[in-house]
Amino acid sequence: MNADQALRRDVALANRITERFGLSGAFGHASARIPGTNSFLIPTRRSPGLADENTLLVIDTDGKVLSGDGEPNSEFWIHARIYAARPDVGGVVHAHPPACICLTQIGQPHRIVHNSAGGFLDGVPEFERIGLIRSRELGDLLARRLGKGVAVLMRGHGISTALADVRTATVAACYLEESADLQMRMLTAAGGDASRLRVFTGEEAERVRDQLGPRVVERAWDYYATAAAQRPLGGA
Ligand SMILES: [Zn+2]
């Protein structure tokens, strides 16, 4: 398998992972920058659970479809404008995971409450404007809110993650939803009193920052990708 084929396979798996692990249903998409270019690989307009490595589109940061057959996902601007703003980013995942959406709608910021969330130590900003990101301008606004971060929560909508490669962006998306789900459960168990949560201090979180580092991501990707490849649709 050459590098292009391997990247296409990763993009298809990344999409299928988000569906397999409950971050997306009919909607959501993961993409990868084609190294050294301002263009990226992204599936056609279907559920990420149905992503096919043989039918990916190549789109550039101005939103122009350079190759591939089929219609792009309507929110491809998320990817285009994050890649435009962030030359360091090689992978973007956009999904609609329920616990993350719940956090935004009860006005709770993301907190680090377990080890796997250590990679979010520098904070996860929130994009407050509801609705879909279907224009270049909205893509730019979202990219600005993301800033130099690894993820952004989107109120009443979902999340986007942006990291050095599509594998890390995918693992980060899974961790962020796991983290938000735990935070919601803890809030419920604490009667909704956020002050009772034993949120990690900055020093504590620093000790687990490596959870989005290459060694841990490699192990996590191996699991997620194998599970998604074996059971492409429908979760558990
Ligand atoms: Zn969306």
Side-chain angles (χ1 to χ4, degrees):
M1 193 184 293
N2 66 31
D4 179 65
Q5 288 171 323
L7 190 61
R8 286 173 181 270
R9 176 148 177 79
D10 275 7
V11 171
L13 281 171
N15 280 276
R16 285 158 59 180
I17 287 167
T18 68
E19 191 278 339
R20 169 67 177 73
F21 287 91
L23 277 66
S24 297
F27 306 99
H29 20 83
S31 69
R33 185 195 293 274
I34 298 174
T37 74
N38 66 346
S39 56
F40 56 96
L41 291 160
I42 190 168
T44 52
R45 187 168 175 268
R46 299 180 84 188
S47 163
L50 301 168
D52 180 342
E53 65 198 80
N54 299 309
T55 60
L56 299 176
L57 302 175
V58 177
I59 303 181
D60 72 13
T61 51
D62 288 322
K64 186 172 177 210
V65 178
L66 302 180
S67 74
D69 292 322
E71 193 181 342
N73 285 289
S74 68
E75 292 195 295
F76 71 85
W77 286 112
I78 293 171
H79 304 257
R81 301 318 293 163
I82 289 176
Y83 289 123
R86 291 277 301 275
D88 61 307
V89 167
V92 172
V93 173
H94 171 62
H96 300 165
C100 288
I101 295 171
C102 288
L103 272 189
T104 66
Q105 290 300 85
I106 60 170
Q108 284 292 320
H110 174 258
R111 301 287 192 204
I112 299 179
V113 293
H114 83 315
N115 288 344
S116 294
F120 303 110
L121 172 61
D122 297 328
V124 181
E126 182 188 297
F127 184 72
E128 202 176 331
R129 177 180 177 141
I130 60 112
L132 300 175
I133 309 296
R134 282 178 167 162
S135 70
R136 181 185 182 114
E137 292 69 29
L138 287 172
D140 282 336
L141 284 175
L142 180 70
R144 199 173 307 156
R145 194 74 187 100
L146 169 70
K148 295 184 189 317
V150 298
V152 57
L153 294 170
M154 301 159 75
R155 183 167 75 92
H157 181 172
I159 61 169
S160 296
T161 61
L163 287 110
D165 58 81
V166 68
R167 292 186 176 195
T168 311
T170 304
V171 171
C174 291
Y175 284 177
L176 187 57
E177 175 61 357
E178 181 179 283
S179 178
D181 183 55
L182 288 171
Q183 190 178 337
M184 287 297 297
R185 289 198 222 182
M186 291 174 197
L187 271 171
T188 303
D193 181 358
S195 71
R196 288 182 57 195
L197 267 59
R198 301 178 71 189
V199 173
F200 286 17
T201 64
E203 193 184 323
E204 286 174 334
E206 192 66 60
R207 280 183 241 153
V208 284
R209 188 193 275 277
D210 70 344
Q211 295 303 297
L212 281 181
R215 268 180 61 77
V216 181
V217 166
E218 185 183 346
R219 192 173 184 287
W221 172 268
D222 179 41
Y223 163 65
Y224 291 130
T226 303
Q230 285 173 350
R231 278 182 151 172
L233 267 183

